[in-house]
Amino acid sequence: FGSQRVLVEPDAGAGVAVMKFKNPPVNSLSLEFLTELVISLEKLENDKSFRGVILTSDRPGVFSAGLDLTEMCGRSPAHYAGYWKAVQELWLRLYQSNLVLVSAINGACPAGGCLVALTCDYRILADNPRYCIGLNETQLGIIAPFWLKDTLENTIGHRAAERALQLGLLFPPAEALQVGIVDQVVPEEQVQSTALSAIAQWMAIPDHARQLTKAMMRKATASRLVTQRDADVQNFVSFISKDSIQKSLQMYLERLKEEKG
Amino acid sequence: FGSQRVLVEPDAGAGVAVMKFKNPPVNSLSLEFLTELVISLEKLENDKSFRGVILTSDRPGVFSAGLDLTEMCGRSPAHYAGYWKAVQELWLRLYQSNLVLVSAINGACPAGGCLVALTCDYRILADNPRYCIGLNETQLGIIAPFWLKDTLENTIGHRAAERALQLGLLFPPAEALQVGIVDQVVPEEQVQSTALSAIAQWMAIPDHARQLTKAMMRKATASRLVTQRDADVQNFVSFISKDSIQKSLQMYLERLKEEKG
Amino acid sequence: FGSQRVLVEPDAGAGVAVMKFKNPPVNSLSLEFLTELVISLEKLENDKSFRGVILTSDRPGVFSAGLDLTEMCGRSPAHYAGYWKAVQELWLRLYQSNLVLVSAINGACPAGGCLVALTCDYRILADNPRYCIGLNETQLGIIAPFWLKDTLENTIGHRAAERALQLGLLFPPAEALQVGIVDQVVPEEQVQSTALSAIAQWMAIPDHARQLTKAMMRKATASRLVTQRDADVQNFVSFISKDSIQKSLQMYLERLKEEKG
C-alpha cells in the first residue's frame, strides 16, 4: 500500500491503516508526493479489509507544510496545470472517500497541510503551541481556491472562514479547537491513540449508512469543483503566472533558503 | 381540535393550544398518528383565535420514538410510498406553519421525534440524562432524508450536522444545548411553564412580520423537498425495500420485542 | 472626502480614514445621508492612498438609528422606490468595498445601523449596556430584506439569524459577542484605538490577495441582490404602501415625537 513518500502500516484485522507522510524536509505536497498519496488511498479503498485510515506525519513537528512552492515558481504553464490537477485530485479523492479518514495532526499544518486535514471526517491536533493549523495563503500574497474556501466554510462557518481566509490566520491548538477547525486537542503523545479510538467510533456505524450520509453532506461541495475543474485549472495557471505573484513566491523561497542556510 | 392520539388543550383566550402526543407505548409516528397530527394542526391554523402551539408528550419519558418501523417492514411498496408521503407532509406542514411552534421535550426524542422538534421555532428540553435528542438513523443502518439533513444543518451548522448524522449521535441535555439542537434546558417540572413563557415572547411580535420573516428563512429548504417530492418517495421506497435494509429492520424489531418481553 | 453629514478624518500616511456619521439627532439613514455616505466612500476608494476606513459616529450614544422612517411614511411610491434604491446602493458599496472596513460602534446600533455594521470586515462594540445591536424590524411590524437576512445569516449562522430576525432581537454587548454579531467588545474609551489596531492587522495582508478572498466570500450574496434589484424595489414599495404598514409606522413616529416632546 505504501511508497517512498507514503508509509502505510496496515492492520487488516482492525480494518485500519495508518498512512505516514514521509517527504522530507517538511512533507511539502510535491507532484510525486500528491500522486503517491492518491495511489495509496486508492489501494486501501480497493482492498475490502480496510474501512478507516489515519493520516499522520512520519516526522513529528510538521504534518505537511502544504503545496510545494517550487512546483509553482519558474515553471511552464503546462507544469502549473498538471500540478494543479494533482492538487484537485487529492482533494476530491480524500473529501469523497468512502473510508473513514481521521487526521492525527502531529505537527504544523498550514495551507495545503490544512487542506488534507479538512477533507477528513475527524481532526485531532497535538497540544503543542508550535503546531498551528489554518489557510495562510494570503500571507504569501496568494489565495485559496473556492473549493478549499467551501471546505473551510463547511467546517467553521461563513463568518469565521471570511476572517480566517482574508487574514491568513494560523490557529494554535486552543484557538483551533474553539473556532472548530479541529475536533479535539490532546497531549502530543496521545494523538495516535486518540485517533485509533476516534476511528473505532466511526467504524461502529454500518458502512453503507455512514457512506450515504457522508455523500449527502459533501456532494454539493465536491460537484462545485467537478463541474468547473478546467476553469479552475486555467484560473490557477493565469493567477500563478502573473509577474507579481512569481516575484512574491520567488522572494518567499529565497527567504526560506536563507532561514535554512 | 384533538383526536384519539392527539390531545389538544386549547386556551383560546391566550391564543395558545397545547398538543399532547398520546400514541402509546412510545408515540411512534404511525400512519394514523401522522395523519391525526396534520389534521389537528390544520384545525388550529384555520381557527383564527390560535397563534401558537406547544408540542409535547402526554406521557413524560418519551417525546416521540420516531418513525413506526412496523410501517417500514414487511409491507408493500405502495404502503411504503403512502407512509413516506405522510412523513413528508407532517414535516412540510410543521416546518412552514404560520403558527408559533414550541416543542416542550419531556422525554426521549430520537429520529422522527427529533424531526418534529427541529421543525419548531423554539425547543426546550427537560434536564433528564435519559432524554436524548438527535437523528440516530445510521445506528439502525438507515439514513435521514436530505430535507431532514437540511433542517439539522440549518439548526446546528454543516460540520456539527455532518458528524452527528454520520455517527447517529443522540445528545443528552447538556450536549444538546452546547451543539444548539435545543435552545433551552430546564428542570423537568419547568418544561411546560417555560414553553408558555417562550411562546409569549414569540407571540409579542406582530404575526404578519414574524410569518413573512419565518417564510423568508425557511422557503428555500422547504422548496427543495416540494420540487422533488415524488423522487424522494421513490428513493425511500427503493431504499427501504432492499433485502439488507429489511433484514436489519426485522432484526431491530425482534430485539425490541425481546427487550419488551 | 467628507460632507455635511459625513465627517472624514484622513490619515493618508497610515492609509486609514475615519468616517464619522453626523446626521443629528440619531444618524438616521435619510436619503441625503445615504447619498453622502456613498460619495465619501467612493472618493476614498478612488484615492489610492487609502486602504482602510473606520466607520463610527461623531456623536457617541447612537451609531445609527437606522432607516429614516419619515422617508417611508406618507410619501409617494416613486419616493419609496428612490429611497430603497439608495439603501440597496449603500449596502452593495459597503459590502463589496475593496477597502478594509471596520465599524467602531460607539452607540446604539439597531436596524439600518446594524446593516452598516454587518457590511464591515470587523465589528467592535463599546461595552455599554445601552448600546444594543440587531435587526429589530419585526418589532415595528416591518421586515428585513432578504439580502440583509443573508448578511446576518452569513455572520451568525442560520438558526441564530432565524430567531434574532423573527423576534427582532437587539443584543446588548455580552450577548452580541456571544452570538457573533460583533467580533470584539471593549470599554467605550478604547473603541477607536481598538479599531485602529484591528484595521492594521487587516492592512498587513497584501491588498490583492485580501480583496480577491473577500470577493470570493461575498460575491454570491451580493449577486443575489444585484440580479433582483428591481423586483426587490417593487417588493419594498408594495409592502411599505400597505395601509396597515403605513398606520403602524405613523403610530411609531407619533410615539417617538411624544417621547421627544
Side-chain angles (χ1 to χ4, degrees), chain A residues 88-101:
Chain A
Q88 293 177 333
E89 191 64 20
L90 179 68
W91 180 75
L92 282 169
R93 292 298 194 88
L94 289 172
Y95 192 65
Q96 301 188 95
S97 175
N98 269 333
L99 295 167
V100 180
L101 299 182

Side-chain angles (χ1 to χ4, degrees), chain B residues 173-193:
Chain B
E175 287 175 48
L177 186 64
Q178 211 254 328
V179 81
I181 200 168
V182 298
D183 300 296
Q184 223 175 331
V185 169
V186 298
E188 195 156 0
E189 64 282 5
Q190 295 172 21
V191 169
Q192 306 303 335
S193 58

Side-chain angles (χ1 to χ4, degrees), chain C residues 160-237:
Chain C
E162 185 177 61
R163 182 165 167 268
L165 277 175
Q166 287 190 70
L167 294 177
L169 296 179
L170 288 171
F171 299 99
E175 286 176 49
L177 186 63
Q178 210 253 330
V179 80
I181 200 168
V182 297
D183 300 295
Q184 223 175 332
V185 169
V186 299
E188 195 157 359
E189 63 283 6
Q190 296 172 20
V191 169
Q192 306 303 334
S193 56
T194 306
L196 281 168
S197 54
I199 212 163
Q201 184 193 12
W202 288 74
M203 286 167 61
I205 301 295
D207 266 359
H208 69 283
R210 179 185 59 76
Q211 291 164 355
L212 285 170
T213 302
K214 182 171 182 176
M216 180 166 60
M217 290 301 303
R218 297 186 164 198
K219 187 128 184 58
T221 299
S223 317
R224 270 192 77 199
L225 173 57
V226 171
T227 52
Q228 327 177 30
R229 255 188 109 160
D230 292 343
D232 185 53
V233 171
Q234 291 324 317
N235 197 20
F236 171 76
V237 174

Side-chain angles (χ1 to χ4, degrees), chain B residues 11 14 16 18 54 102 124 191-201:
Chain B
D11 177 346
V16 175
V18 180
I54 293 170
V102 172
I124 301 157
V191 169
Q192 306 303 335
S193 58
T194 306
L196 281 169
S197 55
I199 212 163
Q201 184 193 12

Side-chain angles (χ1 to χ4, degrees), chain B residues 95 120-123 153-156 180 183 201-202 205-206 208-210 212-214 216-218 221, chain C residues 137-146 149 153 158-159 161-163 165-169 239 242 245:
Chain B
Y95 193 63
C120 291
D121 293 295
Y122 196 74
R123 285 165 288 283
E153 188 171 330
N154 286 346
T155 307
I156 65 175
D183 300 296
Q201 184 193 12
W202 289 73
I205 301 296
H208 70 283
R210 178 186 58 76
L212 285 171
T213 303
K214 182 171 182 175
M216 180 167 60
M217 290 302 303
R218 296 187 165 198
T221 300
Chain C
E137 282 78 354
T138 54
Q139 300 264 0
L140 287 84
I142 56 179
I143 66 170
F146 72 86
K149 177 269 287 185
E153 189 172 329
H158 189 281
R159 169 41 189 175
E162 185 177 61
R163 182 165 167 268
L165 277 175
Q166 287 190 70
L167 294 177
L169 296 179
F239 178 84
K242 283 187 197 156
I245 301 298

Side-chain angles (χ1 to χ4, degrees), chain B residues 117-186:
Chain B
L118 284 173
T119 63
C120 291
D121 293 295
Y122 196 74
R123 285 165 288 283
I124 301 157
L125 177 60
D127 196 2
N128 180 326
R130 281 184 301 110
Y131 299 172
C132 293
I133 181 171
L135 297 176
N136 62 326
E137 283 78 354
T138 54
Q139 300 265 358
L140 288 85
I142 56 178
I143 66 170
F146 72 85
W147 37 277
L148 190 46
K149 177 270 286 186
D150 289 346
T151 320
L152 183 64
E153 188 171 330
N154 286 346
T155 307
I156 65 175
H158 188 281
R159 169 40 189 175
E162 185 178 60
R163 183 164 166 268
L165 277 174
Q166 287 190 70
L167 294 178
L169 295 179
L170 287 171
F171 299 97
E175 287 175 48
L177 186 64
Q178 211 254 328
V179 81
I181 200 168
V182 298
D183 300 296
Q184 223 175 331
V185 169
V186 298

Side-chain angles (χ1 to χ4, degrees), chain A residues 137-147 149 153 157-163 165-169 239 242 244-245 248, chain C residues 95 120-123 153-156 180 183 198 201-206 208-218 221:
Chain A
E137 282 78 353
T138 56
Q139 300 266 357
L140 288 82
I142 55 179
I143 66 169
F146 71 86
W147 38 276
K149 179 269 287 184
E153 189 172 328
H158 188 282
R159 171 39 193 175
E162 185 178 61
R163 182 165 167 266
L165 277 174
Q166 287 189 71
L167 294 178
L169 295 180
F239 179 83
K242 282 187 197 156
S244 57
I245 301 298
S248 67
Chain C
Y95 193 63
C120 291
D121 293 295
Y122 197 72
R123 284 166 288 283
E153 189 172 329
N154 286 345
T155 307
I156 66 175
D183 300 295
Q201 184 193 12
W202 288 74
M203 286 167 61
I205 301 295
H208 69 283
R210 179 185 59 76
Q211 291 164 355
L212 285 170
T213 302
K214 182 171 182 176
M216 180 166 60
M217 290 301 303
R218 297 186 164 198
T221 299

